């Protein structure tokens, strides 16, 4: 099913018209792994339903992913989807449901939940579940496979926005260190956490001329030089809730300041692996324009080839995070790590890499993780905006602490700053994409009318460019603090943040990078 | 005098203390080509003035740059500066005055116009000009060499901000094409235009280990592969007048929207030349961190080595602009062209290239072309901010035209846009540094409350990245135009422009990239 991740929409659309099982003409007009959107252009002149054999669930289980005939059930209907799989626009991810219920997957890939898709499936119906396996006319929950059942436990200090899939951010007050501990690192999963160990995990790499090569984890580690870099990962939705609060409602998880973290990552250079497969990185073939990544669970994304082969690009196939094996939530046993680029491209649990003329056809590449003008509604022409890769300059306040001159301990802290009166201490982070270093952080205590410079924390980082956030702090006498505290940052290209969210508003709430403003009410 | 461009301040300061001619102890505490700033720490216990021989101007002329003894005169005093030259912090540029008056140069390098510097020169006085060569006690103007006398004629359509040196911008209404014609390209000279032809011009390239090599123009052209790129050059002060008008007074030429232009540039890759001299660009020596450029007239600047050796960096030693030899004002016969980087680093009339551990020590690298916080005054700690290299996203309106539905010609123009009523047509440019493409231009007719997308002009460009501006246009019915018309742009890293100038104000008025706003009063 490589076809579905390498072909452009147009070619897929043609392919789908080639097979017209049982007289139906399909038009696949939007395709992506997990974003199957089918329209039956001519409805079937329904024939009389065939006789309906009854099947036991134990019988259906025998038709799993490795069987000759692939069966699934939906509700109480049983389907042989063997002939459908080659044309499934979402690719082999459909095999995840083989031998069991497709319902939990369609709950996740919710775009299937429409009559047109039900109609297609119905063409493959071979019968019904035997009533002896039903309770009150339904399959008992225990018999429905739950892909999330093996998801790991998460640290209770993380703030969960959703659990299935898990999306959980680090509270700002816990983002105190240059390196974010693994257990506190924000989790952004699009699907479930696949179960695959270093002994079984393999990665297939394919070039435009069809050359391919498969590596085991052991081969990757022994064949290529190991590199460690320090890099910040940030979700494109970080601070989305601020855009919502200060502009208009946005569609997505309402992250505060904690969909970001900084860690060391150890692995091998993607460029070394691509060269090993046979890619000439100094004289690229003309059809080598993007590198597509697919995770075991089905998530997919791509990056431009220039980033992948840049000698200063530091793109890793990483197997360690902060010196230990990747935690399950962060891609164990192998993930892509694209420093300086929005985290959505650092595909976790990566099992397939394809050098292609096209971007990934996944919905996350083509119909998500883009920004449009503030006037453009929720149904934009997605092809008009580029997928987010490098991210703009960002900053946030992560802690706001009052220091009392009347407390012995606090008095000592104040002396460090040459202060002897009640004060306010701010800390936070600033980060820019593309390896551009943060060179200045400005803080305002009067809503942006006057400014002062925060102290930037020095840090040893690894890598060809500045892939890590800068921690900053500022302390000021309380009497100088007005009603609105503001932070903004400047990167080495002298890019700055926009003053307000309105002019960068987009309905998905991506890249909410306007000045971070906190209201202050002195006690 | 390579020393002065490669040594850090501290080492120069030590050197200056080594020679103490005639009992004076010097402390050179700020050094730069053309930014000589000397302080005599212990004033001389003045001895009785020596007897003062008289010299004819014809005699002084014999002590030019190639003579054994170098003389200059200042006012009516005559000086033998031979022993001073090795220690001159501004380097050999002082030879420009050899055999003539130093006054016109000190008018340009005005930092010399202080008693401390006069005192130093006085130590080298050997006599006075013969009264027979004086008129009313002064040297006649004709006998004072004018370094600007051979500057070329400029197109009368350019708007001159200063003539000596020439600084002239393109009026916005003439910035109509994707490629700016050579004669309309803005001129930003720091000094005079040197007179040097392709037969005599040589370029010296030096590596950190001392290896050096000199190339003639003919050698450059025959030895290396020729490349052509399309690239925008923009002065860091472009739109400075807007920052002044909308925030506070700034120190510098008050450019409007025309200190920018786009051209094709033809030459050889700097990286190829560096490799030819012997630099290992895949495994750089540790002390190869910057590449310093010096022009024949004395201007100097540097870029990070990473940009110089980046296979996608496209840094040129260019000898053609838009297909013809560089015009004198644009660096004939050879200039550096650093695409995606502020124009101040694209050194014209380049004659020396030094790979070094240090940035250029020129004032333009170290004490200019930087930005500070809006609160930081006119005497910042210059070392705290990075020199401007890549520039942030920028956009401007270059023409604003009313189209009348009552005119036959205009009606035809309106039909293209599907309009039949009085309308407004805007055009302009948008540009970002670092090769980041402009992906969206937003226009507002109500001061930034609501937005629409401009049409981006497609253009064929040459080069590894997007080094060229994007032209844009927008047409709207006149009745929909409010009192303030605004433009802002977005680059492929989704960087945007700040809403207002105040929060990016800096006393030098660099990088004035806030939204371009035009007041509109309907007739």
């Amino acid at each position: 099913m490589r076809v579905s991740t390498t072909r452009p929409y147009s070619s897929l659309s043609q392919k789908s018209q080639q097979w017209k099982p049982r007289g139906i003409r399909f038009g696949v007009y939007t395709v992506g792994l997990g974003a199957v959107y089918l329209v039956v252009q001519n409805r079937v002149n329904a024939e009389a339903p065939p006789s309906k054999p009854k099947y036991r669930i134990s019988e259906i289980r025998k038709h799993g992913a490795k069987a000759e005939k692939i069966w699934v059930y939906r509700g109480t209907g049983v389907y042989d989807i063997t002939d459908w799989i080659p044309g499934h626009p979402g690719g082999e991810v459909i095999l995840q449901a083989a031998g069991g219920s497709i319902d939990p997957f369609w709950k996740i890939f919710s775009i299937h939940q429409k009559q047109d898709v039900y109609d297609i499936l119905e063409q493959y119906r071979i019968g019904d579940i035997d009533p002896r396996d039903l309770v009150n006319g339904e399959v008992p929950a225990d018999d429905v496979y739950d892909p999330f059942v093996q998801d790991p436990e998460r640290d209770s200090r993380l703030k969960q926005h959703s659990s299935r899939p898990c999306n959980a951010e680090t509270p700002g007050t816990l983002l105190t260190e240059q390196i974010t501990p693994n257990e506190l690192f924000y989790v952004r999963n699009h699907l479930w956490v696949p179960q695959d160990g270093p002994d079984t995990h393999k990665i297939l790499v394919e070039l435009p001329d069809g050359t391919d090569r498969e590596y085991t984890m052991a081969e990757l580690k022994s064949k290529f030089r190991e590199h460690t870099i320090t890099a910040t990962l940030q979700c494109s939705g970080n601070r989305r809730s601020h855009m919502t609060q200060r502009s208009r409602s946005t569609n997505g998880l309402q992250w505060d300041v904690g969909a970001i973290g900084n860690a060391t990552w150890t692995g091998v250079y993607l460029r070394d692996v691509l060269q090993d497969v046979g890619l000439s990185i100094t004289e690229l073939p003309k059809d080598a324009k993007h590198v597509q990544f697919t995770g075991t669970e089905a998530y997919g994304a791509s990056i431009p080839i220039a980033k992948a082969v840049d000698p200063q690009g530091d793109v890793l196939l990483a197997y360690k995070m902060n010196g230990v094996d990747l935690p399950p939530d962060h891609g164990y046993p192998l993930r892509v790590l694209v420093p300086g680029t929005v985290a959505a491209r650092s595909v976790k649990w990566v099992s397939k890499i394809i050098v292609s003329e096209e971007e990934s056809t996944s919905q996350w590449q083509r119909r998500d993780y883009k920004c449009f003008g503030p006037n453009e509604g929720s149904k934009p022409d997605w092809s008009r905006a580029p997928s987010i890769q490098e991210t703009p300059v960002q900053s946030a306040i992560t802690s706001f602490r009052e220091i009392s001159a009347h407390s012995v301990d606090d008095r000592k802290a104040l002396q460090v700053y040459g202060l002897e009166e009640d004060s306010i201490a701010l800390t936070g982070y600033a980060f820019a994409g593309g390896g551009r270093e943060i060179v200045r952080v400005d803080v305002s205590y009067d809503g942006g009318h006057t400014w002062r410079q925060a102290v930037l924390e020095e840090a040893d980082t690894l890598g060809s460019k500045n892939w890590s956030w800068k921690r900053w702090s500022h302390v000021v006498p309380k009497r100088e603090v007005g009603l609105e505290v503001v932070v903004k940052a400047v990167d080495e290209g002298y890019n700055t943040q926009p003053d307000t969210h309105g002019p960068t508003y987009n309905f998905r709430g991506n890249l909410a990078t306007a000045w971070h403003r906190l209201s202050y009410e002195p006690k």
Side-chain angles (χ1 to χ4, degrees), chain A:
Chain A
M1 283 312 299
R2 254 165 245 164
V3 159
S4 66
T5 56
T6 54
R7 289 202 177 187
Y9 301 154
S10 54
S11 73
L12 263 163
S13 173
Q14 284 163 13
K15 179 180 172 68
S16 70
Q17 293 190 3
Q18 286 164 11
W19 50 259
K20 303 168 186 171
R22 305 182 199 190
I24 304 170
R25 190 152 66 80
F26 292 84
V28 179
Y29 62 76
T30 306
V31 177
L33 269 172
V36 186
Y37 192 11
L38 300 164
V39 172
V40 181
Q41 293 181 324
N42 299 326
R43 289 297 172 86
V44 189
N45 288 326
E47 299 165 28
S51 67
K52 288 188 175 173
K54 308 293 178 199
Y55 299 101
R56 298 299 301 255
I57 285 180
S58 57
E59 171 69 11
I60 299 172
R61 292 224 189 290
K62 292 175 188 164
H63 295 272
K66 291 177 180 171
E68 197 183 334
K69 294 287 178 184
I70 308 296
W71 292 5
V72 298
Y73 60 92
R74 172 172 168 263
T76 58
V78 180
Y79 306 86
D80 179 345
I81 59 168
T82 314
D83 293 341
W84 164 241
I85 294 169
H88 180 225
E92 291 181 349
V93 67
I94 200 172
L95 289 177
Q96 302 258 2
S101 172
I102 205 162
D103 289 306
F105 298 92
W106 284 14
K107 272 189 197 153
I108 305 161
F109 301 116
S110 56
I111 204 153
H112 293 77
Q113 294 175 4
K114 45 174 44 185
Q115 192 58 47
D116 298 333
V117 180
Y118 303 154
D119 287 348
I120 293 171
L121 184 65
E122 211 52 36
Q123 303 306 313
Y124 297 93
R125 190 158 185 167
I126 54 173
D128 288 304
I129 291 175
D130 192 305
R132 284 172 287 176
D133 287 339
L134 302 179
V135 176
N136 297 328
E138 291 183 352
V139 180
D142 285 356
D143 283 331
V144 177
Y145 171 71
D146 174 3
F148 293 102
V149 73
Q150 295 192 79
D151 265 23
E153 286 286 309
R154 277 86 190 197
D155 194 291
S156 61
R157 292 170 294 176
L158 293 176
K159 182 183 166 198
Q160 282 216 0
H161 291 281
S162 74
S163 59
R164 301 159 75 92
C166 177
N167 286 292
E169 73 173 292
T170 320
T173 49
L174 297 181
L175 283 177
T176 53
E177 304 298 325
Q178 172 68 13
I179 295 292
T180 314
N182 288 1
E183 66 274 16
L184 285 178
F185 209 95
Y186 81 101
V187 177
R188 170 70 180 105
N189 291 345
H190 294 82
L191 303 164
W192 53 91
V193 176
Q195 305 301 317
D196 210 353
D199 300 333
T200 52
H201 191 80
K202 289 178 182 172
I203 182 158
L204 179 69
V205 186
E206 187 184 309
L207 305 185
D209 65 3
T211 311
D212 64 10
R213 178 145 186 190
E214 196 170 53
Y215 298 91
T216 63
M217 287 298 297
E219 282 166 345
L220 274 188
K221 290 183 182 181
S222 63
K223 185 153 194 179
F224 302 100
R225 194 170 150 195
E226 184 175 273
H227 298 271
T228 297
I229 65 169
T230 324
T232 294
L233 284 183
Q234 179 183 215
C235 176
S236 75
N238 191 32
R239 299 189 56 219
R240 177 179 287 131
S241 64
H242 302 188
M243 183 179 277
T244 303
Q245 289 153 20
R246 302 214 170 236
S247 181
R248 285 176 279 152
S249 100
T250 58
N251 182 7
L253 297 160
Q254 295 299 307
W255 302 102
D256 192 5
V257 299
I260 188 171
N262 189 57
T264 64
W265 308 94
T266 301
V268 300
Y269 280 157
L270 172 62
R271 68 195 302 264
D272 290 348
V273 176
L274 294 179
Q275 276 191 296
D276 188 61
V277 178
L279 186 71
S280 163
I281 62 169
T282 49
E283 203 140 344
L284 287 167
K286 279 189 180 168
D287 47 4
K289 294 187 179 164
H290 301 270
V291 184
Q292 306 180 347
F293 310 113
T294 310
T296 307
E297 93 288 28
Y299 181 79
S302 62
I303 59 171
I305 189 80
K307 171 70 177 173
V309 303
D310 183 353
Q312 301 165 46
D314 290 359
V315 180
L316 291 179
L317 300 181
Y319 40 78
K320 284 188 180 175
M321 178 179 182
N322 290 330
V324 299
D325 285 348
L326 291 172
D329 267 327
H330 298 289
Y332 180 80
L334 191 71
R335 74 174 300 168
V336 186
L337 202 292
V338 190
T341 294
V342 69
R345 312 303 168 206
S346 285
V347 174
K348 300 190 277 194
W349 312 292
V350 63
S351 58
K352 200 183 287 181
I353 297 179
I354 300 174
V355 179
S356 167
E357 195 164 6
E358 289 288 321
E359 282 194 292
S360 167
T361 55
S362 86
Q363 68 167 323
W364 300 287
Q365 191 74 21
R366 302 237 175 169
R367 296 173 59 82
D368 200 348
Y369 298 122
K370 298 185 174 191
C371 294
F372 293 87
N375 52 298
E376 299 186 87
S378 60
K379 292 187 176 169
D381 173 359
W382 287 97
S383 69
R384 277 194 35 254
S387 59
I388 300 171
Q389 297 284 346
E390 290 185 7
T391 51
V393 59
Q394 172 72 290
S395 66
I397 299 163
T398 53
S399 79
F400 183 105
R401 191 163 70 89
E402 306 213 12
I403 314 182
S404 166
H406 304 286
S407 139
V408 176
D409 286 348
D410 278 2
R411 243 193 333 264
K412 283 182 191 160
L414 285 172
Q415 280 166 3
V416 175
Y417 303 98
L419 293 171
E420 293 180 342
E421 59 185 307
D422 287 358
S423 297
I424 298 292
L426 296 182
T427 63
Y429 60 76
F431 176 64
R436 289 182 286 280
E437 187 175 18
I438 294 295
V439 299
R440 203 179 79 227
V441 169
D442 297 331
V443 177
S444 171
Y445 295 97
D446 58 5
H449 294 288
T450 63
W451 299 88
R452 315 171 192 213
Q453 279 67 54
V455 176
L456 303 185
E457 200 174 283
E458 292 292 325
D460 288 330
T461 60
L462 300 167
S464 303
K465 296 188 183 178
N466 296 287
W467 309 123
S468 289
W469 65 14
K470 272 263 168 66
R471 306 288 318 172
W472 60 264
S473 62
H474 197 247
V475 177
V476 68
K478 192 170 168 178
R479 64 185 160 77
E480 296 180 17
V481 179
L483 298 179
E484 193 178 54
V485 180
V486 187
V487 67
K488 68 181 174 79
V490 180
D491 74 13
E492 66 182 81
Y494 283 101
N495 291 293
T496 62
Q497 300 174 238
D499 311 17
T500 55
H501 285 286
T504 56
Y505 172 85
N506 59 96
F507 80 99
R508 284 286 282 111
N510 282 323
L511 304 178
T513 59
W515 302 351
H516 188 195
R517 299 167 188 259
L518 287 184
S519 298
Y520 177 62
E521 286 180 45
K523 289 170 195 165

